[in-house]
Amino acid sequence: MSAIDNLIEALQVLPGVGPKSAQRMALHLLLREREAGVTLANSLQVAMSEVRQCALCRNLTEHKICSVCRDPRRDATQLCVVESPADILAIEQAGGFRGYYFVLNGRLSPLDGVGPEQLGMDQLLDRIAQLQPQELIVATNPTVEGEATSHYIAQLVQGKVAEISRIAHGVPLGGELEYTDGGTLAHALQGRRSIA
Amino acid sequence: MSAIDNLIEALQVLPGVGPKSAQRMALHLLLREREAGVTLANSLQVAMSEVRQCALCRNLTEHKICSVCRDPRRDATQLCVVESPADILAIEQAGGFRGYYFVLNGRLSPLDGVGPEQLGMDQLLDRIAQLQPQELIVATNPTVEGEATSHYIAQLVQGKVAEISRIAHGVPLGGELEYTDGGTLAHALQGRRSIA
């Protein structure tokens, strides 16, 4: 196989990239973006060989301890549990949260062989014992598995953290009630807050 | 910047990839496809450093002469002129054409500084002199620039090749006349062929 065919095939490992877009990407790099292509190759090389799990929070990092866990200016009273590193990126980009994180890298799913061990529950208990946060915010996704995981964690850490909270479920900003599904609306009503 | 941030930024050089999909791609590779990520890095490295233009047809290849030009079983009576390497891939995948190619790597566009020199017209004349094809098929795109380029080439090679042809323009297979634009319909009628 030629170098170009190899590249077109290798690009198809990227999510959402089929044969046609892989071809377009390969030709774009070869005809117009050689230098950026070399940079991409190097970034990939470094990331694939050096990035691993943070020893404290299981987030992805190329260091032993990730930049959030190393930051002493974060708010040690709050620990936020999320399903994946992408959730941390989303929360950080949204701003507003200044506590620490813990990444499950999955959610409870016994049929897929994902139990408490795979989610690092021992590490979570260690982290809580070490950080002594006042509040544990469970920010797993509002799916069946995410809710089950949240329930499991709440039972596990009961008595070890003063407050255990769950992120709010409701109508998203800019959303319209008319087009919001029933489950979300029910949650939005149940979770209503006094405004006066 | 961290290795992950570097990777997310580098991925955005790919056409059609913004910050959000770059992030999704990076996490997908890091969490689930490490090996394929390394393969991709290597394929990129090789392609970026070794792929250049074929000395005969200007197609992309990692050899001095590309695999089509090196293949003696191709039909030397036909030479097909295309705008880009992607066009060769499309024609080869369609099948049916067994001749040789010549790649312009662009189209005439004086305002962008693309003249006959940039399109390798001297190399095209050399290739014709050497291959002595009976027919030159001009398969530039049916755009204003593509037509102008086609016209220019036809004048340039007149007398040097017995037959100079242009690919047919018309209603695409599976297309419907009702939804076909006027220019295409006019071409389809003009280019009609006797069927009985």
Side-chain angles (χ1 to χ4, degrees), chain A residues 2-4 7 10 13 15 23-24 27-30 34 36 40-45 47-48 51 60 62 86 89 93, chain B residues 2-4 7 10 13 15 23 27-30 34 36 38 40-45 47-48 51 60 62 86 89:
Chain A
S2 79
I4 304 171
L7 177 56
V13 74
Q23 180 185 307
R24 189 162 141 252
L27 291 177
H28 177 79
L29 292 177
L30 286 167
R34 287 279 172 133
L40 175 55
N42 294 338
S43 305
L44 267 171
Q45 191 67 61
M48 293 303 129
V51 171
L60 294 172
E62 71 263 40
L89 292 175
Q93 274 157 27
Chain B
S2 80
I4 304 174
L7 177 56
V13 74
Q23 179 185 308
L27 291 178
H28 176 81
L29 291 177
L30 287 167
R34 286 280 171 130
V38 172
L40 175 55
N42 293 337
S43 305
L44 268 170
Q45 190 66 61
M48 293 304 129
V51 171
L60 293 173
E62 72 262 42
L89 290 176

Side-chain angles (χ1 to χ4, degrees), chain A residues 95-108:
Chain A
F97 179 73
R98 295 287 306 154
Y100 291 95
Y101 294 100
F102 187 85
V103 185
L104 302 173
N105 281 315
R107 69 221 72 163
L108 280 185

Side-chain angles (χ1 to χ4, degrees), chain B residues 169-185:
Chain B
H169 303 336
V171 184
L173 289 199
E176 296 185 43
L177 265 64
E178 186 180 351
Y179 301 110
T180 303
D181 67 289
T184 302
L185 268 184

